[in-house]
Amino acid sequence: MNTIEFLDVSFTFPAVEGDTDAKGNQIVPKPVFDHFTGNIPGGFTSLIGPNGSGKSTFLLLASGRLIPQNGKVLLLNQDVAALPEEQKNLLASVIYQNMEFETDDKVQDLLSFVYANGNLKAKAKSIKSGNSDLFSEVISVFELEKVLNHPLTEISKGEIQRTLLAFGILYGSASVFMDEPMFAMEDYQKNSSLEYLRLFCEETKTPVYISMHEIDLSRKYAQNVMLFYPDRNISLGSPEEVLTSADLEKAYGFPASMLKKHETMTREQIIQYSNLYKQ
């Protein structure tokens, strides 16, 4: 079954006042999606592609956080952008990289509030065994025991990201969208988190869509992969079908052998290597 349907969708970000080119002319953004129609299945889906290729915009449109200028997006057969805020949240949770918070509430209190006031109403069994409460399992999986009594504003970036992952599970939305959620986490934490998210997706039949730079992790955990190209085309299939060297080189603009290094490159270094590769 297709979980997401894009129906003749067009979306362009508005021009930023004062954003001009070398000649002083106003820069007019190009469309991110231009009359795009496509069906995306459920399951555990990874979004891969260079910065600026449309991954984040896709997630925000699919979850109803952005409204297309033309066409509509259906999520689980509902026009998600047209829903009231509470219903939209119950249909789709969205986790961003570097989300900012202005609260002195402790992590435990925030997690308890999310768990009690979302779809699960603080009544869900653990995913791994089913013999304990989901809350305790999520705290353990994302290694949050040591920060439960700390205000969210006083923990590290990696701890914040793991807390956000916990939010995404405990709220109990019908689908989950995550944009670079593994930011600032240790490698073993990325693996344990993705392993649990994949299991959560399979056991609860909750579609999970996750954008991330680490191609090796997508190969290891994703059921489906969406590979975004700079020309706005998108390939969809299994990791074996989509993450070929030829397609990755087409998407990123430099040799596939360098993509592991790409994950730690600056934007300037990526542009430099891409230009050299094209030459």
Side-chain angles (χ1 to χ4, degrees):
M1 184 184 78
N2 293 315
T3 300
I4 302 171
E5 295 181 73
F6 274 58
L7 304 173
D8 195 31
V9 169
S10 295
F11 181 83
T12 304
F13 285 101
V16 178
E17 185 177 352
D19 190 7
T20 58
D21 60 21
K23 296 181 179 180
N25 298 317
Q26 174 69 50
I27 295 176
V28 179
K30 296 180 180 179
V32 183
F33 293 98
D34 188 12
H35 297 284
F36 171 65
T37 295
N39 299 319
I40 313 301
F44 193 79
T45 302
S46 176
L47 283 66
I48 294 292
N51 291 332
S53 58
K55 302 186 302 297
S56 297
T57 307
F58 177 90
L59 291 172
L60 294 174
L61 285 167
S63 60
R65 271 52 177 189
L66 287 177
I67 300 175
Q69 284 103 14
N70 182 78
K72 67 170 57 176
V73 180
L74 300 182
L75 174 61
L76 296 170
N77 296 318
Q78 298 189 62
D79 183 356
V80 60
L83 295 175
E85 195 66 23
E86 183 177 355
Q87 286 183 252
K88 187 182 297 183
N89 290 335
L90 290 172
L91 188 63
S93 288
V94 182
I95 303 299
Y96 309 90
Q97 177 182 325
N98 284 333
M99 293 178 75
E100 295 183 0
F101 299 89
E102 296 180 359
T103 175
D104 292 324
D105 291 343
K106 294 180 180 179
V107 171
Q108 167 121 20
D109 295 335
L110 291 169
L111 290 170
S112 297
F113 179 84
V114 167
Y115 189 34
N117 289 277
N119 198 42
L120 299 178
K121 305 303 180 188
K123 296 178 181 178
K125 295 293 185 181
S126 60
I127 302 300
K128 291 184 175 181
S129 66
N131 297 323
S132 61
D133 187 77
L134 180 65
F135 189 90
S136 299
E137 180 175 81
V138 166
I139 297 300
S140 175
V141 167
F142 298 122
E143 299 183 353
L144 297 175
E145 296 93 341
K146 294 181 180 179
V147 301
L148 289 177
N149 292 318
H150 294 239
L152 192 62
T153 53
E154 295 181 8
I155 62 179
S156 70
K157 289 183 178 180
E159 289 164 345
I160 289 175
Q161 291 306 121
R162 300 202 306 276
T163 302
L164 293 177
L165 291 175
F167 284 167
I169 298 293
L170 293 174
Y171 194 74
S173 297
S175 59
V176 179
F177 296 81
M178 299 182 171
D179 193 2
E180 300 294 344
M182 305 299 160
F183 174 74
M185 291 169 58
E186 301 289 339
D187 285 344
Y188 81 91
Q189 292 169 337
K190 293 178 181 180
N191 276 276
S192 61
S193 296
L194 287 168
E195 181 180 3
Y196 185 75
L197 289 170
R198 169 73 182 261
L199 181 64
F200 166 80
C201 171
E202 293 175 342
E203 294 295 321
T204 65
K205 308 304 179 187
T206 303
V208 176
Y209 301 89
I210 179 169
S211 169
M212 55 184 174
H213 285 300
E214 296 91 342
I215 294 170
D216 287 347
L217 293 179
S218 289
R219 293 187 195 277
K220 187 174 181 180
Y221 296 105
Q223 293 174 303
N224 315 301
V225 173
M226 298 178 67
L227 178 59
F228 288 68
Y229 299 92
D231 63 2
R232 307 306 192 195
N233 283 322
I234 303 171
S235 292
L236 171 66
S238 68
E240 294 76 18
E241 292 170 329
V242 174
L243 298 180
T244 65
S245 294
D247 284 337
L248 289 170
E249 289 178 9
K250 179 182 175 183
Y252 286 91
F254 51 82
S257 59
M258 295 183 61
L259 286 176
K260 184 64 179 177
K261 185 177 181 181
H262 161 271
E263 295 168 8
T264 59
M265 286 183 186
T266 64
R267 184 182 294 270
E268 290 75 18
Q269 288 173 323
I270 291 172
I271 293 172
Q272 180 182 9
Y273 278 110
S274 181
N275 289 337
L276 287 172
Y277 180 63
K278 290 175 183 176
Q279 293 172 9

